[in-house]
Amino acid sequence: MPRMLRSETARTIAICIGLATAALAQDEGAARWFVRAAAPGVRIAGAATIRVERAPDVPVETAPGAYEVHFPRDAGGKPDSLSLTVPAHATVAVAVEPAAAAESGTLASIGYRDYVVSTTFSCQDSAVATGLLARRSDDGNWYRFVWDRHDGRARLERALGGAVFVIAEASAPHGDDAEHELALQVEGFRLRAFLDDALVVQALDGAHVEGECAAWSGGDAEVRWGRLQIGRPAAPRASSAIAQTSSEAEFVAATCAAAGFHYVVELALDRPFALVPLTAAGIEPWLLHRPVTPVVVRADLRGTLGPGTFGTLGKDGHVRGRLLWPAVPAIVGQCATVRALVITPDGERLVSRTPSVPLAF
């Protein structure tokens, strides 16, 4: 067996063994998370926020509850955030497709039109507003992302000829003295602002097309800024997560597809099997025969896999399904991978699939 196949299979087997035995080691209802991401620093945000820096086969534990998962940018783009409810004693697997680390540069190398600027900061005064400027041509013409830490609001502002306008606003956390990361991406007419890798406010505006960037704060309190980083715009990309107990699982995925596309959740086998040629989108090419990737079962209109496993994508492009399986002794201890297939609105073409996450029966 080629070395690549051996390593991939060993990694999947290790994670599945961890999934199958996780419940035996959990205390007081704790949930165990296995996170496979392209870059370290995935944030699991609930009652408290945990930043995951470890390998995917080393779990982290949280209390049960509602969580959001936020991913850092990488060379492949910015994986979309996920939200899921984690029951007591659950095992959670989170995944994005492999990619290299995100590259940073200077405005001279990236360009003054389309870029993402980010930095970290901390401030003892929790009421001080902080933010980032982009496409600044002078003191009276710029875009600004403002985190109003006193009121718990995030704003996108535009200065035009010295007059300042709020072009978009949304709720955001209140301030504290911890370290946080701000990011503002300007790409064409699209403005997207992130707080700790979570998209907090976005807008379309075409008043400014190029300019410099900078960090900004209001008031006189000292703000300790990190290094200002500049990179190329990060396109949204797919992500998946599954939270499972002994007889069911909640599967969520961000497809990055438009509303009106269809999705189908399927259970498939991981390697070892013969390598299958795939397109850049990770799809088998159309070779006038049936797909050869081993598939265990695929969702259908009858709800074979459970509610929400077959349907049409909404505006956010997310899949949320509940997987159910019978208490059959023959499948206990077996493993499969779960993913969603995205199909064009006319039902003619498979266009993408979400990252696979392991499921242990």
Side-chain angles (χ1 to χ4, degrees):
M1 185 184 296
R3 182 179 301 173
M4 181 184 71
L5 290 184
R6 289 201 303 269
S7 61
E8 179 68 21
T9 302
R11 185 160 52 247
T12 301
I13 291 173
I15 293 176
C16 285
I17 290 174
L19 294 174
T21 60
L24 298 178
Q26 294 177 26
D27 296 320
E28 299 180 357
R32 302 189 98 195
W33 295 69
F34 296 83
V35 179
R36 188 191 76 199
V42 174
R43 291 179 169 91
I44 302 172
T49 297
I50 297 175
R51 188 179 169 95
V52 181
E53 306 283 358
R54 288 175 281 181
D57 55 344
V58 179
V60 297
E61 290 192 355
T62 69
Y67 287 90
E68 294 183 348
V69 184
H70 306 298
F71 303 91
R73 294 180 300 279
D74 53 50
K78 172 71 170 66
D80 271 4
S81 299
L82 299 169
S83 61
L84 70 163
T85 301
V86 178
H89 302 293
T91 301
V92 186
V94 180
V96 298
E97 293 295 348
E103 295 182 0
S104 61
T106 64
L107 282 177
S109 62
I110 300 296
Y112 288 78
R113 287 178 173 266
D114 297 339
Y115 55 83
V116 56
V117 54
S118 63
T119 190
T120 58
F121 79 94
S122 63
C123 181
Q124 294 295 321
D125 188 344
S126 61
V128 170
T130 56
L132 293 168
L133 295 172
R135 290 182 177 171
R136 177 187 177 277
S137 56
D138 54 49
D139 288 343
N141 294 278
W142 39 254
Y143 288 120
R144 182 167 65 190
F145 164 38
V146 176
W147 179 20
D148 186 334
R149 289 151 42 91
H150 178 269
D151 293 337
R153 305 292 293 175
R155 294 192 299 273
L156 283 171
E157 299 177 343
R158 176 188 63 217
L160 192 60
V164 179
F165 305 89
V166 176
I167 56 178
E169 188 172 15
S171 61
H174 289 273
D176 54 34
D177 59 1
E179 184 178 82
H180 295 278
E181 180 182 4
L182 301 173
L184 175 58
Q185 178 167 299
V186 289
E187 183 179 17
F189 290 173
R190 185 176 297 277
L191 314 176
R192 307 180 82 211
F194 299 85
L195 171 60
D196 291 336
D197 290 321
L199 178 64
V200 289
V201 62
Q202 60 182 329
L204 295 174
D205 192 272
H208 304 301
V209 296
E210 64 179 9
E212 298 179 341
C213 57
W216 171 90
S217 65
D220 299 325
E222 179 186 1
V223 178
R224 292 179 292 277
W225 294 101
R227 184 168 68 92
L228 198 68
Q229 295 184 304
I230 302 160
R232 302 189 186 281
R237 71 190 195 102
S239 55
S240 302
I242 189 168
Q244 71 166 102
T245 57
S246 59
S247 60
E248 65 180 51
E250 179 186 9
F251 172 73
V252 296
T255 66
C256 298
F261 278 65
H262 306 298
Y263 69 87
V264 179
V265 176
E266 73 172 8
L267 272 59
L269 297 180
D270 193 28
R271 295 184 177 98
F273 54 82
L275 282 176
V276 179
L278 301 176
T279 67
I283 305 301
E284 287 188 41
W286 188 50
L287 299 176
L288 299 179
H289 62 70
R290 295 179 61 186
V292 298
T293 303
V295 174
V296 178
V297 64
R298 186 171 291 152
D300 54 36
L301 291 173
R302 298 173 297 171
T304 300
L305 279 181
T309 56
F310 186 108
T312 303
L313 294 174
K315 186 170 66 174
D316 64 358
H318 284 209
V319 173
R320 184 178 299 277
R322 190 159 61 95
L323 306 179
L324 306 173
W325 57 90
V328 178
I331 68 172
V332 173
Q334 302 298 314
C335 296
T337 60
V338 185
R339 62 194 179 197
L341 309 180
V342 180
I343 303 165
T344 53
D346 60 11
E348 293 293 327
R349 190 162 57 93
L350 177 64
V351 294
S352 67
R353 64 183 182 189
T354 63
S356 297
V357 286
L359 172 68
F361 297 101

